[in-house]
Amino acid sequence: MTDKTYEGSFHIVGGDFSHAGEASTELKTILLNAGVEDEFVRRVAIATFEAEMNIMIYATAGILRYIISPEEIRIIAQDMGPGIEDIELAMQEGYSTAPDWVREMGWGAGMGLPNMKKNADIFRIDSVVGEGTTVEMIIKR
Amino acid sequence: MRLKEIIRLLDAVIITNSRDYEAEIEWACATDLMSDVLYYSRGNSVLITGLAKQQAIRTSDIADIKVVVFTRGKEPDTHTIELARKKKITLLITPYSMFTACGKLYEKGLRCCPE
Amino acid sequence: MKLKEIAEILSLRPLTPAVGHEREVSGAYVGDLLSDVMANAGEGNIWITLQTHVNIVAVAVFKNLSAIVIVNGRMPDADTMDKAVSEDIPILLTGKSAFETAGKLYQILNVQNLQG
């Protein structure tokens, strides 16, 4: 990566599975073109993909922002969704409130948030029931 | 395990391929759940899945998985095939169930991604 | 082959110790999509899955499966466990992956077939 800071954002529409993963794929391409190490790109891509899927599955809409600096990337995923009642429970591997049709699409098995946490160096989540959820991740190179 | 051996052991039909048949595939991952692919897999793996959908290709691309095998002869739609071609993912279809596919590959020494 | 023999060879940990270990196993099915298992698993099969949701028990009852093996160290919640006991469906746990569990079980069942 160069010494510049890049910023950008993607808008995500809930329920739009045909475009699922396009934002993360685009971010992955930006990083690969910037010549960043593969393993870093993989972590960013996985964490972002999970954030994108969560918005798609649970929320009406959301925005995914990224700020790339030479040392790290900061990703902020903010949605207008139902919010999470019990964050501690939601963070447990295998816990999910996803409906059956989402499970039949191969998602909603309760590994999304654990996966984000696993790949991020710093992970913060903030949620208000009835308003939405914000996830902030910092991934260092 | 070489790609050509995976194809042979699984009696697989090749839907898309852009890599050498001698290419070495290091690990295997068998699941229908995409977050688990992301959680447990490593790059340069083969994903064995019954989810014969675009999701499986998109997830594999994100996780740097090079080879995807759809089980039980499930044929994907054209969008899925197009995406695999675009992402340079080798897409195979095996007539075997996931159980048998895992059994045949494990028997010949392929192992799952270490954690 | 009996479930308890398989459990011993694969070091599976029974979550529901009192249930069904004398049962005969006809084969195995691996899958995490309930509709797929509903459509394709065979009677008497062991079902290897990552799913822990309470609905897995209903699928196992409907398809008359011999047991559910939950992989990757995943732990089902209390609902699933209670339902498994009341419906008489054995659930066993392993820290190993689906690929490895299926791989080993395939060999065990194959060897047994060769020996008649």
Side-chain angles (χ1 to χ4, degrees), chain A residues 17 20-22 24-25 28 42 45-46 49-50 53 93 104-107 109 111-112 114-115 118, chain B residues 32-43 51 53-55 58-64 87:
Chain A
F17 267 74
E22 284 182 1
S24 340
T25 304
K28 185 182 175 183
R42 189 171 187 271
I46 290 174
F49 191 28
E50 289 287 9
M53 289 312 301
E93 292 184 8
E104 290 301 316
M105 300 284 287
W107 295 96
M111 291 301 280
N115 222 349
K118 181 186 174 189
Chain B
D32 298 327
L33 300 177
M34 297 301 105
S35 287
D36 287 286
V37 176
L38 299 171
Y39 197 87
Y40 294 105
S41 76
R42 296 213 173 171
L51 190 78
K53 293 189 162 91
Q54 272 189 72
Q55 299 295 321
R58 187 71 75 178
T59 305
S60 298
D61 177 50
I62 293 284
D64 284 337
K87 297 296 175 189

mmCIF file of all heavy atoms in Angstrom, chain A residues 17 20-22 24-25 28 42 45-46 49-50 53 93 104-107 109 111-112 114-115 118, chain B residues 32-43 51 53-55 58-64 87:
data_model
loop_
_atom_site.group_PDB
_atom_site.id
_atom_site.type_symbol
_atom_site.label_atom_id
_atom_site.label_comp_id
_atom_site.label_asym_id
_atom_site.label_seq_id
_atom_site.Cartn_x
_atom_site.Cartn_y
_atom_site.Cartn_z
ATOM 1 N N PHE A 17 -30.223 -10.847 -2.200
ATOM 2 C CA PHE A 17 -29.208 -11.899 -2.225
ATOM 3 C C PHE A 17 -28.471 -12.027 -3.555
ATOM 4 O O PHE A 17 -27.371 -12.549 -3.597
ATOM 5 C CB PHE A 17 -29.834 -13.254 -1.862
ATOM 6 C CG PHE A 17 -29.733 -13.565 -0.407
ATOM 7 C CD1 PHE A 17 -30.536 -12.902 0.505
ATOM 8 C CD2 PHE A 17 -28.839 -14.509 0.059
ATOM 9 C CE1 PHE A 17 -30.442 -13.175 1.860
ATOM 10 C CE2 PHE A 17 -28.737 -14.789 1.413
ATOM 11 C CZ PHE A 17 -29.539 -14.121 2.312
ATOM 12 N N ALA A 20 -25.337 -10.307 -3.199
ATOM 13 C CA ALA A 20 -24.611 -10.594 -1.959
ATOM 14 C C ALA A 20 -23.124 -10.752 -2.214
ATOM 15 O O ALA A 20 -22.716 -11.506 -3.080
ATOM 16 C CB ALA A 20 -25.156 -11.870 -1.330
ATOM 17 N N GLY A 21 -22.334 -10.023 -1.462
ATOM 18 C CA GLY A 21 -20.887 -10.185 -1.541
ATOM 19 C C GLY A 21 -20.191 -9.255 -2.520
ATOM 20 O O GLY A 21 -18.969 -9.237 -2.599
ATOM 21 N N GLU A 22 -20.950 -8.463 -3.235
ATOM 22 C CA GLU A 22 -20.313 -7.619 -4.254
ATOM 23 C C GLU A 22 -19.472 -6.501 -3.641
ATOM 24 O O GLU A 22 -18.400 -6.175 -4.157
ATOM 25 C CB GLU A 22 -21.368 -7.045 -5.209
ATOM 26 C CG GLU A 22 -21.831 -8.104 -6.188
ATOM 27 C CD GLU A 22 -22.848 -7.600 -7.199
ATOM 28 O OE1 GLU A 22 -23.190 -6.408 -7.173
ATOM 29 O OE2 GLU A 22 -23.279 -8.427 -8.017
ATOM 30 N N SER A 24 -17.876 -6.553 -0.715
ATOM 31 C CA SER A 24 -16.625 -7.116 -0.181
ATOM 32 C C SER A 24 -15.677 -7.509 -1.306
ATOM 33 O O SER A 24 -14.464 -7.370 -1.176
ATOM 34 C CB SER A 24 -16.888 -8.350 0.669
ATOM 35 O OG SER A 24 -18.188 -8.395 1.109
ATOM 36 N N THR A 25 -16.257 -8.013 -2.401
ATOM 37 C CA THR A 25 -15.425 -8.401 -3.535
ATOM 38 C C THR A 25 -14.725 -7.175 -4.118
ATOM 39 O O THR A 25 -13.546 -7.225 -4.468
ATOM 40 C CB THR A 25 -16.283 -9.078 -4.618
ATOM 41 O OG1 THR A 25 -16.962 -10.181 -4.019
ATOM 42 C CG2 THR A 25 -15.436 -9.584 -5.764
ATOM 43 N N LYS A 28 -11.990 -6.134 -1.836
ATOM 44 C CA LYS A 28 -10.881 -7.085 -1.990
ATOM 45 C C LYS A 28 -10.032 -6.722 -3.216
ATOM 46 O O LYS A 28 -8.800 -6.720 -3.156
ATOM 47 C CB LYS A 28 -11.459 -8.503 -2.136
ATOM 48 C CG LYS A 28 -10.401 -9.583 -2.173
ATOM 49 C CD LYS A 28 -10.988 -10.976 -2.356
ATOM 50 C CE LYS A 28 -9.861 -11.981 -2.512
ATOM 51 N NZ LYS A 28 -10.325 -13.347 -2.762
ATOM 52 N N ARG A 42 -7.271 -11.394 2.762
ATOM 53 C CA ARG A 42 -8.218 -12.461 3.084
ATOM 54 C C ARG A 42 -8.982 -12.149 4.374
ATOM 55 O O ARG A 42 -10.209 -12.295 4.429
ATOM 56 C CB ARG A 42 -7.454 -13.780 3.214
ATOM 57 C CG ARG A 42 -8.334 -14.995 3.328
ATOM 58 C CD ARG A 42 -7.519 -16.280 3.236
ATOM 59 N NE ARG A 42 -8.384 -17.436 3.194
ATOM 60 C CZ ARG A 42 -8.814 -18.082 4.276
ATOM 61 N NH1 ARG A 42 -8.446 -17.677 5.462
ATOM 62 N NH2 ARG A 42 -9.612 -19.108 4.150
ATOM 63 N N ALA A 45 -11.402 -9.328 3.653
ATOM 64 C CA ALA A 45 -12.499 -9.777 2.796
ATOM 65 C C ALA A 45 -13.514 -10.591 3.595
ATOM 66 O O ALA A 45 -14.729 -10.395 3.476
ATOM 67 C CB ALA A 45 -11.948 -10.598 1.636
ATOM 68 N N ILE A 46 -13.028 -11.487 4.443
ATOM 69 C CA ILE A 46 -13.927 -12.340 5.226
ATOM 70 C C ILE A 46 -14.735 -11.499 6.222
ATOM 71 O O ILE A 46 -15.962 -11.613 6.300
ATOM 72 C CB ILE A 46 -13.133 -13.452 5.963
ATOM 73 C CG1 ILE A 46 -12.603 -14.467 4.932
ATOM 74 C CG2 ILE A 46 -14.004 -14.142 7.002
ATOM 75 C CD1 ILE A 46 -11.678 -15.529 5.506
ATOM 76 N N PHE A 49 -17.246 -9.351 4.309
ATOM 77 C CA PHE A 49 -18.288 -10.189 3.725
ATOM 78 C C PHE A 49 -19.339 -10.551 4.772
ATOM 79 O O PHE A 49 -20.549 -10.476 4.532
ATOM 80 C CB PHE A 49 -17.637 -11.448 3.137
ATOM 81 C CG PHE A 49 -18.536 -12.289 2.272
ATOM 82 C CD1 PHE A 49 -19.594 -11.752 1.559
ATOM 83 C CD2 PHE A 49 -18.298 -13.654 2.144
ATOM 84 C CE1 PHE A 49 -20.399 -12.538 0.754
ATOM 85 C CE2 PHE A 49 -19.093 -14.450 1.334
ATOM 86 C CZ PHE A 49 -20.149 -13.897 0.643
ATOM 87 N N GLU A 50 -18.884 -10.917 5.965
ATOM 88 C CA GLU A 50 -19.826 -11.260 7.031
ATOM 89 C C GLU A 50 -20.674 -10.046 7.425
ATOM 90 O O GLU A 50 -21.879 -10.168 7.662
ATOM 91 C CB GLU A 50 -19.085 -11.795 8.258
ATOM 92 C CG GLU A 50 -18.472 -13.176 8.071
ATOM 93 C CD GLU A 50 -19.507 -14.294 8.056
ATOM 94 O OE1 GLU A 50 -20.734 -14.022 8.028
ATOM 95 O OE2 GLU A 50 -19.091 -15.468 8.042
ATOM 96 N N MET A 53 -23.201 -9.518 4.703
ATOM 97 C CA MET A 53 -24.276 -10.520 4.748
ATOM 98 C C MET A 53 -25.242 -10.245 5.898
ATOM 99 O O MET A 53 -26.447 -10.441 5.753
ATOM 100 C CB MET A 53 -23.690 -11.932 4.877
ATOM 101 C CG MET A 53 -23.005 -12.452 3.642
ATOM 102 S SD MET A 53 -23.937 -12.269 2.098
ATOM 103 C CE MET A 53 -25.412 -13.191 2.457
ATOM 104 N N GLU A 93 -20.748 -18.655 19.302
ATOM 105 C CA GLU A 93 -20.705 -19.458 18.084
ATOM 106 C C GLU A 93 -21.938 -20.344 18.010
ATOM 107 O O GLU A 93 -22.256 -21.054 18.949
ATOM 108 C CB GLU A 93 -19.451 -20.339 18.059
ATOM 109 C CG GLU A 93 -18.187 -19.523 17.919
ATOM 110 C CD GLU A 93 -16.942 -20.391 17.805
ATOM 111 O OE1 GLU A 93 -17.073 -21.621 17.686
ATOM 112 O OE2 GLU A 93 -15.839 -19.812 17.832
ATOM 113 N N GLU A 104 -31.409 -22.097 4.608
ATOM 114 C CA GLU A 104 -31.388 -22.906 3.376
ATOM 115 C C GLU A 104 -30.515 -22.276 2.293
ATOM 116 O O GLU A 104 -30.164 -22.924 1.316
ATOM 117 C CB GLU A 104 -32.811 -23.124 2.857
ATOM 118 C CG GLU A 104 -33.648 -24.054 3.738
ATOM 119 C CD GLU A 104 -33.029 -25.440 3.892
ATOM 120 O OE1 GLU A 104 -32.573 -26.009 2.881
ATOM 121 O OE2 GLU A 104 -32.979 -25.952 5.027
ATOM 122 N N MET A 105 -30.180 -20.987 2.455
ATOM 123 C CA MET A 105 -29.259 -20.326 1.518
ATOM 124 C C MET A 105 -27.804 -20.507 1.947
ATOM 125 O O MET A 105 -26.896 -19.975 1.336
ATOM 126 C CB MET A 105 -29.551 -18.820 1.434
ATOM 127 C CG MET A 105 -30.929 -18.450 0.964
ATOM 128 S SD MET A 105 -31.129 -18.649 -0.812
ATOM 129 C CE MET A 105 -30.170 -17.265 -1.413
ATOM 130 N N GLY A 106 -27.609 -21.243 3.038
ATOM 131 C CA GLY A 106 -26.246 -21.484 3.524
ATOM 132 C C GLY A 106 -25.755 -20.451 4.521
ATOM 133 O O GLY A 106 -24.584 -20.415 4.862
ATOM 134 N N TRP A 107 -26.673 -19.594 5.000
ATOM 135 C CA TRP A 107 -26.293 -18.550 5.956
ATOM 136 C C TRP A 107 -27.076 -18.727 7.248
ATOM 137 O O TRP A 107 -27.919 -19.596 7.349
ATOM 138 C CB TRP A 107 -26.553 -17.158 5.370
ATOM 139 C CG TRP A 107 -25.687 -16.899 4.206
ATOM 140 C CD1 TRP A 107 -26.003 -17.060 2.893
ATOM 141 C CD2 TRP A 107 -24.307 -16.509 4.227
ATOM 142 N NE1 TRP A 107 -24.926 -16.782 2.105
ATOM 143 C CE2 TRP A 107 -23.874 -16.441 2.895
ATOM 144 C CE3 TRP A 107 -23.407 -16.204 5.248
ATOM 145 C CZ2 TRP A 107 -22.575 -16.089 2.550
ATOM 146 C CZ3 TRP A 107 -22.114 -15.843 4.908
ATOM 147 C CH2 TRP A 107 -21.710 -15.786 3.569
ATOM 148 N N ALA A 109 -26.098 -19.472 10.427
ATOM 149 C CA ALA A 109 -25.802 -20.563 11.357
ATOM 150 C C ALA A 109 -25.061 -20.063 12.588
ATOM 151 O O ALA A 109 -24.496 -20.840 13.346
ATOM 152 C CB ALA A 109 -25.002 -21.649 10.655
ATOM 153 N N MET A 111 -22.387 -17.932 12.915
ATOM 154 C CA MET A 111 -20.932 -17.782 12.904
ATOM 155 C C MET A 111 -20.484 -16.423 12.373
ATOM 156 O O MET A 111 -19.289 -16.147 12.294
ATOM 157 C CB MET A 111 -20.300 -18.890 12.056
ATOM 158 C CG MET A 111 -20.410 -20.272 12.650
ATOM 159 S SD MET A 111 -19.626 -20.385 14.269
ATOM 160 C CE MET A 111 -17.905 -20.539 13.773
ATOM 161 N N GLY A 112 -21.419 -15.577 12.004
ATOM 162 C CA GLY A 112 -21.082 -14.298 11.386
ATOM 163 C C GLY A 112 -20.296 -13.373 12.307
ATOM 164 O O GLY A 112 -19.177 -12.962 11.987
ATOM 165 N N PRO A 114 -18.880 -14.085 15.309
ATOM 166 C CA PRO A 114 -17.610 -14.691 15.738
ATOM 167 C C PRO A 114 -16.529 -14.613 14.650
ATOM 168 O O PRO A 114 -15.351 -14.417 14.946
ATOM 169 C CB PRO A 114 -17.983 -16.162 16.004
ATOM 170 C CG PRO A 114 -19.432 -16.136 16.319
ATOM 171 C CD PRO A 114 -20.013 -15.004 15.514
ATOM 172 N N ASN A 115 -16.966 -14.747 13.408
ATOM 173 C CA ASN A 115 -16.029 -14.697 12.294
ATOM 174 C C ASN A 115 -15.419 -13.304 12.136
ATOM 175 O O ASN A 115 -14.232 -13.152 11.848
ATOM 176 C CB ASN A 115 -16.778 -15.074 11.014
ATOM 177 C CG ASN A 115 -15.971 -15.989 10.142
ATOM 178 O OD1 ASN A 115 -14.785 -16.197 10.380
ATOM 179 N ND2 ASN A 115 -16.605 -16.518 9.119
ATOM 180 N N LYS A 118 -12.974 -12.848 14.939
ATOM 181 C CA LYS A 118 -11.773 -13.648 14.725
ATOM 182 C C LYS A 118 -10.783 -12.955 13.787
ATOM 183 O O LYS A 118 -9.570 -13.025 13.972
ATOM 184 C CB LYS A 118 -12.182 -15.007 14.136
ATOM 185 C CG LYS A 118 -11.026 -15.963 13.876
ATOM 186 C CD LYS A 118 -11.504 -17.223 13.152
ATOM 187 C CE LYS A 118 -10.316 -18.087 12.771
ATOM 188 N NZ LYS A 118 -10.706 -19.203 11.883
ATOM 189 N N ASP B 32 -22.157 -27.003 4.123
ATOM 190 C CA ASP B 32 -23.156 -26.265 3.335
ATOM 191 C C ASP B 32 -23.336 -24.848 3.892
ATOM 192 O O ASP B 32 -24.138 -24.085 3.370
ATOM 193 C CB ASP B 32 -24.517 -26.968 3.410
ATOM 194 C CG ASP B 32 -24.470 -28.363 2.829
ATOM 195 O OD1 ASP B 32 -23.711 -28.575 1.870
ATOM 196 O OD2 ASP B 32 -25.182 -29.244 3.347
ATOM 197 N N LEU B 33 -22.631 -24.550 4.973
ATOM 198 C CA LEU B 33 -22.829 -23.262 5.628
ATOM 199 C C LEU B 33 -21.664 -22.329 5.314
ATOM 200 O O LEU B 33 -20.513 -22.646 5.597
ATOM 201 C CB LEU B 33 -22.954 -23.453 7.136
ATOM 202 C CG LEU B 33 -24.132 -24.340 7.541
ATOM 203 C CD1 LEU B 33 -24.143 -24.543 9.046
ATOM 204 C CD2 LEU B 33 -25.451 -23.742 7.089
ATOM 205 N N MET B 34 -21.990 -21.190 4.743
ATOM 206 C CA MET B 34 -20.958 -20.340 4.186
ATOM 207 C C MET B 34 -20.079 -19.668 5.234
ATOM 208 O O MET B 34 -18.890 -19.475 5.034
ATOM 209 C CB MET B 34 -21.589 -19.316 3.238
ATOM 210 C CG MET B 34 -22.261 -19.971 2.027
ATOM 211 S SD MET B 34 -21.103 -20.961 1.021
ATOM 212 C CE MET B 34 -21.529 -22.641 1.443
ATOM 213 N N SER B 35 -20.651 -19.319 6.393
ATOM 214 C CA SER B 35 -19.820 -18.729 7.443
ATOM 215 C C SER B 35 -18.790 -19.732 7.946
ATOM 216 O O SER B 35 -17.712 -19.344 8.393
ATOM 217 C CB SER B 35 -20.674 -18.254 8.615
ATOM 218 O OG SER B 35 -21.378 -17.104 8.245
ATOM 219 N N ASP B 36 -19.140 -20.994 7.894
ATOM 220 C CA ASP B 36 -18.189 -22.015 8.327
ATOM 221 C C ASP B 36 -17.065 -22.195 7.326
ATOM 222 O O ASP B 36 -15.942 -22.497 7.698
ATOM 223 C CB ASP B 36 -18.918 -23.323 8.606
ATOM 224 C CG ASP B 36 -19.713 -23.221 9.892
ATOM 225 O OD1 ASP B 36 -19.088 -23.243 10.959
ATOM 226 O OD2 ASP B 36 -20.934 -23.036 9.820
ATOM 227 N N VAL B 37 -17.372 -21.991 6.069
ATOM 228 C CA VAL B 37 -16.312 -21.975 5.061
ATOM 229 C C VAL B 37 -15.338 -20.852 5.419
ATOM 230 O O VAL B 37 -14.123 -21.044 5.456
ATOM 231 C CB VAL B 37 -16.887 -21.721 3.649
ATOM 232 C CG1 VAL B 37 -15.758 -21.603 2.635
ATOM 233 C CG2 VAL B 37 -17.857 -22.822 3.248
ATOM 234 N N LEU B 38 -15.892 -19.695 5.732
ATOM 235 C CA LEU B 38 -15.048 -18.539 6.038
ATOM 236 C C LEU B 38 -14.284 -18.726 7.346
ATOM 237 O O LEU B 38 -13.167 -18.274 7.501
ATOM 238 C CB LEU B 38 -15.909 -17.275 6.123
ATOM 239 C CG LEU B 38 -16.654 -16.900 4.841
ATOM 240 C CD1 LEU B 38 -17.641 -15.784 5.100
ATOM 241 C CD2 LEU B 38 -15.694 -16.517 3.731
ATOM 242 N N TYR B 39 -14.905 -19.409 8.294
ATOM 243 C CA TYR B 39 -14.304 -19.570 9.617
ATOM 244 C C TYR B 39 -13.192 -20.626 9.619
ATOM 245 O O TYR B 39 -12.140 -20.428 10.192
ATOM 246 C CB TYR B 39 -15.374 -19.956 10.633
ATOM 247 C CG TYR B 39 -14.950 -19.754 12.073
ATOM 248 C CD1 TYR B 39 -15.128 -18.524 12.692
ATOM 249 C CD2 TYR B 39 -14.380 -20.785 12.810
ATOM 250 C CE1 TYR B 39 -14.755 -18.328 14.008
ATOM 251 C CE2 TYR B 39 -14.002 -20.595 14.121
ATOM 252 C CZ TYR B 39 -14.186 -19.365 14.724
ATOM 253 O OH TYR B 39 -13.810 -19.168 16.020
ATOM 254 N N TYR B 40 -13.444 -21.749 8.969
ATOM 255 C CA TYR B 40 -12.531 -22.886 9.110
ATOM 256 C C TYR B 40 -11.579 -23.097 7.939
ATOM 257 O O TYR B 40 -10.594 -23.802 8.066
ATOM 258 C CB TYR B 40 -13.316 -24.185 9.326
ATOM 259 C CG TYR B 40 -14.055 -24.207 10.628
ATOM 260 C CD1 TYR B 40 -15.433 -24.023 10.675
ATOM 261 C CD2 TYR B 40 -13.368 -24.387 11.828
ATOM 262 C CE1 TYR B 40 -16.113 -24.017 11.883
ATOM 263 C CE2 TYR B 40 -14.038 -24.388 13.036
ATOM 264 C CZ TYR B 40 -15.415 -24.207 13.061
ATOM 265 O OH TYR B 40 -16.075 -24.204 14.251
ATOM 266 N N SER B 41 -11.903 -22.527 6.769
ATOM 267 C CA SER B 41 -11.108 -22.895 5.602
ATOM 268 C C SER B 41 -9.808 -22.109 5.523
ATOM 269 O O SER B 41 -9.627 -21.094 6.178
ATOM 270 C CB SER B 41 -11.913 -22.653 4.337
ATOM 271 O OG SER B 41 -11.949 -21.274 4.060
ATOM 272 N N ARG B 42 -8.933 -22.591 4.674
ATOM 273 C CA ARG B 42 -7.717 -21.868 4.330
ATOM 274 C C ARG B 42 -7.691 -21.678 2.823
ATOM 275 O O ARG B 42 -8.434 -22.330 2.095
ATOM 276 C CB ARG B 42 -6.509 -22.694 4.742
ATOM 277 C CG ARG B 42 -6.447 -22.895 6.219
ATOM 278 C CD ARG B 42 -5.018 -22.939 6.639
ATOM 279 N NE ARG B 42 -4.930 -22.973 8.094
ATOM 280 C CZ ARG B 42 -3.787 -23.187 8.724
ATOM 281 N NH1 ARG B 42 -2.677 -23.390 8.045
ATOM 282 N NH2 ARG B 42 -3.746 -23.197 10.040
ATOM 283 N N GLY B 43 -6.786 -20.822 2.372
ATOM 284 C CA GLY B 43 -6.626 -20.662 0.931
ATOM 285 C C GLY B 43 -6.138 -21.965 0.321
ATOM 286 O O GLY B 43 -5.705 -22.874 1.041
ATOM 287 N N LEU B 51 -24.476 -26.941 -1.467
ATOM 288 C CA LEU B 51 -25.114 -25.664 -1.798
ATOM 289 C C LEU B 51 -24.682 -25.259 -3.210
ATOM 290 O O LEU B 51 -23.715 -24.525 -3.392
ATOM 291 C CB LEU B 51 -24.711 -24.589 -0.782
ATOM 292 C CG LEU B 51 -25.498 -23.282 -0.886
ATOM 293 C CD1 LEU B 51 -26.871 -23.422 -0.255
ATOM 294 C CD2 LEU B 51 -24.741 -22.130 -0.236
ATOM 295 N N LYS B 53 -25.083 -23.116 -5.409
ATOM 296 C CA LYS B 53 -25.597 -21.767 -5.682
ATOM 297 C C LYS B 53 -24.451 -20.764 -5.795
ATOM 298 O O LYS B 53 -23.334 -21.041 -5.368
ATOM 299 C CB LYS B 53 -26.512 -21.326 -4.522
ATOM 300 C CG LYS B 53 -27.807 -22.122 -4.416
ATOM 301 C CD LYS B 53 -28.720 -21.450 -3.400
ATOM 302 C CE LYS B 53 -30.154 -21.908 -3.544
ATOM 303 N NZ LYS B 53 -30.517 -23.046 -2.759
ATOM 304 N N GLN B 54 -24.805 -19.583 -6.307
ATOM 305 C CA GLN B 54 -23.828 -18.488 -6.419
ATOM 306 C C GLN B 54 -23.105 -18.211 -5.109
ATOM 307 O O GLN B 54 -21.936 -17.868 -5.100
ATOM 308 C CB GLN B 54 -24.558 -17.203 -6.821
ATOM 309 C CG GLN B 54 -24.714 -17.002 -8.299
ATOM 310 C CD GLN B 54 -25.242 -15.597 -8.577
ATOM 311 O OE1 GLN B 54 -24.526 -14.618 -8.429
ATOM 312 N NE2 GLN B 54 -26.500 -15.513 -8.962
ATOM 313 N N GLN B 55 -23.852 -18.333 -3.996
ATOM 314 C CA GLN B 55 -23.286 -18.069 -2.663
ATOM 315 C C GLN B 55 -21.992 -18.846 -2.432
ATOM 316 O O GLN B 55 -21.053 -18.345 -1.837
ATOM 317 C CB GLN B 55 -24.276 -18.520 -1.584
ATOM 318 C CG GLN B 55 -25.594 -17.814 -1.605
ATOM 319 C CD GLN B 55 -25.437 -16.358 -1.290
ATOM 320 O OE1 GLN B 55 -24.631 -16.004 -0.424
ATOM 321 N NE2 GLN B 55 -26.141 -15.518 -1.995
ATOM 322 N N ARG B 58 -19.200 -17.194 -4.503
ATOM 323 C CA ARG B 58 -18.845 -15.892 -3.934
ATOM 324 C C ARG B 58 -18.017 -16.089 -2.661
ATOM 325 O O ARG B 58 -16.990 -15.453 -2.456
ATOM 326 C CB ARG B 58 -20.138 -15.130 -3.619
ATOM 327 C CG ARG B 58 -19.954 -13.730 -3.187
ATOM 328 C CD ARG B 58 -19.517 -12.813 -4.289
ATOM 329 N NE ARG B 58 -20.583 -12.480 -5.210
ATOM 330 C CZ ARG B 58 -20.436 -11.656 -6.247
ATOM 331 N NH1 ARG B 58 -19.260 -11.094 -6.487
ATOM 332 N NH2 ARG B 58 -21.429 -11.398 -7.048
ATOM 333 N N THR B 59 -18.470 -16.992 -1.814
ATOM 334 C CA THR B 59 -17.775 -17.259 -0.552
ATOM 335 C C THR B 59 -16.380 -17.828 -0.815
ATOM 336 O O THR B 59 -15.409 -17.428 -0.175
ATOM 337 C CB THR B 59 -18.591 -18.245 0.301
ATOM 338 O OG1 THR B 59 -19.902 -17.704 0.469
ATOM 339 C CG2 THR B 59 -17.961 -18.479 1.652
ATOM 340 N N SER B 60 -16.285 -18.735 -1.779
ATOM 341 C CA SER B 60 -14.989 -19.331 -2.099
ATOM 342 C C SER B 60 -14.020 -18.281 -2.608
ATOM 343 O O SER B 60 -12.831 -18.295 -2.282
ATOM 344 C CB SER B 60 -15.158 -20.430 -3.146
ATOM 345 O OG SER B 60 -15.976 -21.445 -2.622
ATOM 346 N N ASP B 61 -14.529 -17.360 -3.405
ATOM 347 C CA ASP B 61 -13.675 -16.290 -3.923
ATOM 348 C C ASP B 61 -13.135 -15.435 -2.769
ATOM 349 O O ASP B 61 -11.950 -15.130 -2.706
ATOM 350 C CB ASP B 61 -14.476 -15.425 -4.908
ATOM 351 C CG ASP B 61 -13.654 -14.258 -5.425
ATOM 352 O OD1 ASP B 61 -12.510 -14.511 -5.874
ATOM 353 O OD2 ASP B 61 -14.126 -13.115 -5.375
ATOM 354 N N ILE B 62 -14.016 -15.093 -1.843
ATOM 355 C CA ILE B 62 -13.601 -14.296 -0.683
ATOM 356 C C ILE B 62 -12.538 -15.049 0.131
ATOM 357 O O ILE B 62 -11.574 -14.472 0.606
ATOM 358 C CB ILE B 62 -14.829 -13.982 0.219
ATOM 359 C CG1 ILE B 62 -15.822 -13.050 -0.493
ATOM 360 C CG2 ILE B 62 -14.407 -13.428 1.576
ATOM 361 C CD1 ILE B 62 -15.440 -11.606 -0.575
ATOM 362 N N ALA B 63 -12.701 -16.359 0.265
ATOM 363 C CA ALA B 63 -11.814 -17.150 1.119
ATOM 364 C C ALA B 63 -10.621 -17.745 0.365
ATOM 365 O O ALA B 63 -9.900 -18.574 0.912
ATOM 366 C CB ALA B 63 -12.614 -18.264 1.787
ATOM 367 N N ASP B 64 -10.428 -17.335 -0.892
ATOM 368 C CA ASP B 64 -9.309 -17.838 -1.706
ATOM 369 C C ASP B 64 -9.342 -19.348 -1.928
ATOM 370 O O ASP B 64 -8.290 -19.991 -2.035
ATOM 371 C CB ASP B 64 -7.949 -17.452 -1.082
ATOM 372 C CG ASP B 64 -7.633 -16.001 -1.316
ATOM 373 O OD1 ASP B 64 -8.182 -15.424 -2.279
ATOM 374 O OD2 ASP B 64 -6.851 -15.438 -0.536
ATOM 375 N N LYS B 87 -14.415 -15.651 -11.689
ATOM 376 C CA LYS B 87 -13.536 -15.645 -10.515
ATOM 377 C C LYS B 87 -12.417 -16.681 -10.622
ATOM 378 O O LYS B 87 -11.688 -16.904 -9.651
ATOM 379 C CB LYS B 87 -14.360 -15.901 -9.243
ATOM 380 C CG LYS B 87 -15.389 -14.815 -8.950
ATOM 381 C CD LYS B 87 -14.709 -13.504 -8.670
ATOM 382 C CE LYS B 87 -15.715 -12.383 -8.487
ATOM 383 N NZ LYS B 87 -15.033 -11.067 -8.436
#
